[in-house]
Every structure is written in C-alpha cells, then in structure tokens.
Amino acid sequence: MSLPTPPQDRPDDEGRPVSTVIRERIRASGRRFHANDNIADFIRPGELDALLDEVAGQMSGVLRSLVIDTESDHNTQDTARRVAKMYLKEVFRGRYEPQPPVTEFPNAERLGELMIVGPITVRSACSHHLCPIIGKLWIGILPNEHSALIGLSKYARLAEWVMSRPQIQEEAIIQVADLLSNKMQPDGLALVMEADHFCMGWRGVRDLDSKMINSVMRGAFLKDPNLRREFLSLLGQRKG
C-alpha cells in the first residue's frame, strides 16, 4: 500500500518536541500510531537521535517522581538515557525502523509440500505493563507454484521486527501472519506461539509457570484437517 506524501513541516517546528512533530505528521496522513504500529515512514534523518534525547529527559522526570536520587546514586545517574536507548534502539525498534530487506525467490521447482520453520525465539513487551514477553514461534507454510520463497533467516528477522514493539500476543501473531501471507502468497499458513509473560510472573498473580499458547491457521491449514493435524503433530514432536 502506498503512503500519502507526508505534509511539509511547519516553519515553527524548530524548538518543538520532535515527538510532537512526528505525531502531527502521522495524524495529517490519517494513519494510526498504536503501540504495535510501525511509524518509520514518518521519521526523518536525525530525528531518532533527537527523540532519544527527548525520551531520556522524560525518563529523568519519571525517576524524580519515583523519588530516586539520580544525582547522588551512582547506579542510576545514567539510567534515564540507558532506558531511552533500550526502548528506541532495542526492545521497541520495530516501531521506528523500516521493515528489514527480504530477498524473495521464485518457486522454480514448484514446491508444494509442508515446510516448518522454528522454534524462532521471540522477544517483546506487554503493551499493558511494558513487562517482557519471551517465547517461541513455529511457522508452517504450504507453498504453491506461484509463491515467493524467502531465506530461512528471514522468517526470524520478520518475526523480530514485528515483536520488537509493545504487543499483546494475540495481536502480534496475527501481524506476523499477515506479513508472511502478503509476502509469500502461500496456499496455507500456520503459526503457533508459546510465550512467558512477565506481567504474570513478575507482578500481579506472580505465577511463574503459566504460559500463553495461541495459533493462527489460514488457507489450507484451516480447510484441511489432515494438513493441520500433520503440522501440529510434527510441531509436538519438536516441542517434546
């Protein structure tokens, strides 16, 4: 989908918070900017560094409100900037960086058999509490002669790009499925994700043993119970 041309910045943009400038660009385009959306198209060169400075300043205010003496405490003197860098450059970078390049290959041999990729380690953060989500992802693909094939490592790169945002697992797995489906156009696509949620183990009920498992089945995996059974059976053997 082509994006509308971003509006020109206002003459008085200089001196305003860069987050305000980026937010106004997104709103002017009619696009949303939810926690698990990618907004890289609206960030111009140099603005990510400016945004890091802004977030670090805001995080310093959070630490002050938590009554932490960052001036005297040698352990937290640089915490605000470290946290800002962690959010923008690491755990949430899937919001701010464009989709990683993925080379696609034609299905020259007309492959039409089940392929399974995984387990892929996935890391994210719960958008409710910003607590870690860490788990595994398995992907099943049933290609057809017109499908685009991608390199094995690219499944992990695309999954990481989607997961490196504040997420809830139910939406994250659908975003990964949509991305792979649009890119590969397979006859069938299946995903299973199993993850630990620190918002349950670290806080709240503090249950360290509970995991969340969910799946997405599309195309042939949804229509053909034998194919679905084969995928889940092979996946069960690998998980065991």
Side-chain angles (χ1 to χ4, degrees):
M1 180 180 67
S2 59
L3 290 172
T5 302
Q8 294 296 315
D9 291 342
R10 290 165 33 181
D12 61 347
D13 278 342
E14 187 175 351
R16 295 197 302 155
V18 67
S19 63
T20 300
V21 175
I22 295 170
R23 188 180 299 109
E24 288 180 357
R25 284 187 201 132
I26 300 172
R27 284 178 171 154
S29 74
R31 291 276 298 278
R32 72 177 203 180
F33 49 101
H34 291 184
N36 60 358
D37 288 330
N38 178 272
I39 60 170
D41 289 315
F42 301 96
I43 299 175
R44 296 182 180 172
E47 288 184 338
L48 196 58
D49 289 334
L51 191 60
L52 194 155
D53 291 338
E54 181 182 336
V55 173
Q58 297 287 0
M59 186 56 62
S60 293
V62 171
L63 295 175
R64 283 194 297 271
S65 295
L66 290 171
V67 198
I68 296 175
D69 183 1
T70 58
E71 295 179 3
S72 300
D73 180 5
H74 61 281
N75 289 318
T76 58
Q77 284 178 351
D78 296 319
T79 292
R81 187 161 192 86
R82 283 194 294 263
V83 172
K85 184 177 180 181
M86 176 188 72
Y87 282 146
L88 292 174
K89 303 286 189 175
E90 297 177 307
V91 294
F92 295 164
R93 71 177 182 273
R95 296 196 77 235
Y96 307 106
E97 294 183 356
Q99 180 182 309
V102 175
T103 302
E104 301 173 10
F105 305 95
N107 188 0
E109 298 298 323
R110 300 176 181 268
L111 301 175
E113 303 298 326
L114 171 62
M115 301 186 296
I116 299 177
V117 180
I120 297 170
T121 299
V122 290
R123 303 171 186 86
S124 188
C126 168
S127 54
H128 296 158
H129 296 96
L130 302 186
C131 289
I133 299 172
I134 300 177
K136 302 291 184 182
L137 173 69
W138 290 263
I139 302 170
I141 306 102
L142 187 69
N144 59 57
E145 60 182 290
H146 304 294
S147 294
L149 304 180
I150 64 176
L152 188 61
S153 66
K154 300 307 185 286
Y155 293 96
R157 291 187 185 278
L158 292 174
E160 180 185 30
W161 182 65
V162 170
M163 295 300 296
S164 295
R165 309 169 193 176
Q167 287 282 9
I168 63 171
Q169 185 172 334
E170 303 94 312
E171 294 180 359
I173 194 172
I174 291 173
Q175 286 188 324
V176 176
D178 288 344
L179 183 59
L180 291 174
S181 181
N182 292 335
K183 190 165 292 293
M184 301 182 70
Q185 298 294 318
D187 279 347
L189 180 67
L191 289 85
V192 171
M193 187 183 297
E194 175 182 295
D196 294 301
H197 290 244
F198 283 46
C199 57
M200 286 189 64
W202 193 28
R203 58 160 300 281
V205 296
R206 299 189 180 183
D207 185 343
L208 296 175
D209 296 321
S210 293
K211 298 179 183 292
M212 181 174 182
I213 304 173
N214 61 341
S215 66
V216 171
M217 302 286 168
R218 294 186 177 174
F221 286 96
L222 189 62
K223 298 174 183 177
D224 186 345
N226 292 324
L227 178 64
R228 185 165 63 250
R229 192 177 301 115
E230 180 184 1
F231 169 68
L232 293 174
S233 173
L234 291 171
L235 188 136
Q237 292 175 26
R238 297 300 302 164
K239 290 174 66 176

